[in-house]
Amino acid sequence: MMQDKINQYTAEIKAANPANAAELEEFRIKYLGTKGIIKDLFDEFRTVSPEEKRVLGKVLNEFKQLAEAKYAELKESQESRAKSQDIDIDLTLPGEGFELGSRHPLSLTRIEIIDIFKRLGFVVAEGPEIEDDWHNFSALNFPEEHPARDMQDTFFIKKNSGKDDIALRTHTSSVQVRMMESGKPPFRAIMPGRVYRNEAISARAHCFFHQVEGLYVDENVSFSDLKQTLYHFVQELYGEGTKVRFRPSYFPFTEPSAEMDISCTICGGPGCNMCKYTGWVEILGCGMVDPNVLENCGIDSKKYTGFAFGMGIERITNLKYVIRDLRLFSENDVRFLKQFQTEII
Ligand code: DAH
């Protein structure tokens, strides 16, 4: 009976498990070959009665499909097994390695600045880049509608009456306020971050840049503490022997205020392009925290005094690496960035 044979072959095919290519080929020849079982069955099919044909036609076709599918499946699994065995893994070969990126020069400078101040006991604090009027201006003693606010070209996000204004912070001095409001003296912190000003982008100006703010508030903090701290900072950053000088200046939040210059890091004094032939370059603003600012932040200005300073990280970086175009810092040109390949710190 054909049906019985087909049943038997079906079971055989389902169980077939050729161990190698030769056995697989035997399987193919046995069932699917030109003189194989399927060919025989089709020959036999031609001889059966029409009634039987009606039933067996379908059975036979299904059987043929099963044999073909099984063969395809076995072949595929043997091939993929062979492929994975082909890969010769030599574990003694050196690895391919991957290219290490480099730190952005501004990050290098920021890390270095933080490091110096950390050794003096300063902690690092941060604040939001979107600021309200109070933290960016009012608490820092900028009088309302006073031209002092024009010192900084502000990007306003919401501009109402002054008090409710929301803006991109124009300086990191806002973080001083946040810090003093939320804690108790003594404070000794540096506050790095990005700041924004509405300036046309050029080699010398950008609409965003980076600052580090410093704040030291305690009993009996004096201007000489300020001078000594900043003097030490400059020696650490630019090397022993770098000279400093303080020039009187004005900031609403410090009294007295000063700007600090250092002897030109490029020419060392005689004068060059970088220092505009003066031998000096300005690197930061500083001063004694105005008592109004302390009071605005809930700190007793009779008991506590403090100093503050703020510097631009771009400027400090330019003086270290002689970079003359600010735009390089934000263009992400790897040819520029690659030059700062340093050990990752
Ligand atoms: N906030 C000032 C600026 O952006 C820099 C500055 C000056 C910060 C004097 C200070 C300071 O803390 O005491 O130009």
Side-chain angles (χ1 to χ4, degrees):
M1 277 285 289
M2 258 184 94
Q3 180 71 62
D4 292 340
K5 276 195 252 173
I6 291 173
N7 288 349
Q8 193 203 321
Y9 292 142
T10 301
E12 274 177 31
I13 287 176
K14 281 188 178 158
N17 188 18
N20 50 41
E23 284 184 28
L24 178 63
E25 182 60 5
E26 273 173 34
F27 173 94
R28 187 189 68 78
I29 292 167
K30 180 172 174 191
Y31 295 100
L32 301 162
T34 41
K35 291 180 190 145
I37 286 167
I38 289 171
K39 167 82 169 40
D40 288 349
L41 286 171
F42 272 92
D43 286 346
E44 194 178 340
F45 179 73
R46 250 177 262 127
T47 65
V48 301
S49 67
E51 298 89 74
E52 276 184 306
K53 268 192 180 141
R54 231 171 290 132
V55 185
L56 282 174
K58 187 164 172 271
V59 174
L60 192 53
N61 269 323
E62 279 172 5
F63 174 68
K64 188 182 170 207
Q65 277 163 19
L66 172 83
E68 283 168 352
K70 179 76 179 185
Y71 175 68
E73 179 197 316
L74 290 168
K75 193 164 173 203
E76 156 122 26
S77 85
Q78 274 201 2
E79 276 171 4
S80 72
R81 220 180 308 149
K83 228 182 254 166
S84 66
Q85 278 162 2
D86 268 358
I87 302 173
D88 230 347
I89 301 176
D90 181 352
L91 294 174
T92 64
L93 285 174
E96 273 188 17
F98 52 92
E99 247 185 88
L100 262 194
S102 54
R103 281 213 196 270
H104 193 283
L106 294 178
S107 297
L108 290 174
T109 306
R110 186 193 63 234
I111 290 166
E112 210 178 333
I113 295 170
I114 289 175
D115 227 45
I116 296 169
F117 281 103
K118 266 192 177 167
R119 293 199 292 273
L120 295 176
F122 283 68
V123 299
V124 180
E126 283 180 7
E129 292 181 17
I130 297 175
E131 242 336 338
D132 51 34
D133 174 87
W134 171 254
H135 292 95
N136 198 77
F137 292 122
S138 294
L140 287 164
N141 207 30
F142 282 79
E144 231 174 292
E145 304 302 333
H146 189 280
R149 286 182 190 232
D150 299 337
M151 278 165 68
Q152 309 183 333
D153 303 294
T154 311
F155 278 123
F156 285 100
I157 290 174
K158 209 172 99 201
K159 185 140 180 58
N160 296 328
S161 58
K163 274 196 164 40
D164 304 329
D165 292 349
I166 304 286
L168 294 178
R169 67 179 175 196
T170 58
H171 54 182
T172 43
S173 303
S174 55
V175 191
Q176 277 189 34
V177 178
R178 291 193 171 270
M179 175 154 225
M180 290 193 280
E181 274 178 344
S182 62
K184 283 204 175 80
F187 301 106
R188 207 189 302 172
I190 49 165
M191 299 150 258
R194 182 175 282 188
V195 302
Y196 301 83
R197 291 190 197 172
N198 193 355
E199 303 241 20
I201 296 171
S202 71
R204 319 190 97 249
H206 210 291
C207 59
F208 66 78
F209 53 99
H210 301 80
Q211 290 187 331
V212 175
E213 187 79 12
L215 177 72
Y216 184 14
V217 178
D218 202 347
E219 290 178 41
N220 300 318
V221 176
S222 69
F223 201 90
S224 62
D225 295 320
L226 163 65
K227 285 177 82 173
Q228 191 55 38
T229 304
L230 293 177
Y231 176 77
H232 172 79
F233 165 67
V234 168
Q235 304 308 302
E236 291 282 297
L237 189 69
Y238 290 114
E240 292 285 318
T242 311
K243 294 197 200 91
V244 303
R245 74 175 185 190
F246 290 81
R247 284 178 289 103
S249 185
Y250 170 76
F251 299 102
F253 34 91
T254 42
E255 182 59 36
S257 303
E259 277 166 325
M260 189 178 86
D261 299 340
I262 59 172
S263 49
C264 180
T265 52
I266 310 304
C267 67
C272 69
N273 214 340
M274 193 64 123
C275 61
K276 298 198 201 90
Y277 299 93
T278 63
W280 295 95
V281 281
E282 182 204 319
I283 65 160
L284 55 80
C286 57
M288 299 306 291
V289 181
D290 193 300
N292 287 342
V293 176
L294 294 173
E295 295 294 337
N296 285 339
C297 300
I299 289 164
D300 182 354
S301 62
K302 302 245 168 16
K303 187 166 177 203
Y304 293 103
T305 52
F307 68 73
F309 56 88
M311 65 187 106
I313 301 184
E314 277 79 353
R315 180 136 188 84
I316 303 280
T317 310
N318 290 349
L319 290 172
K320 232 182 145 70
Y321 301 109
V322 201
I323 298 164
R324 291 178 194 280
D325 192 330
L326 273 179
R327 290 169 292 197
L328 287 165
F329 289 127
S330 47
E331 280 168 350
N332 274 341
D333 185 334
V334 275
R335 291 168 304 176
F336 170 72
L337 297 173
K338 258 190 172 168
Q339 300 174 72
F340 302 90
Q341 206 100 38
T342 39
E343 273 175 50
I344 298 290
I345 22 177

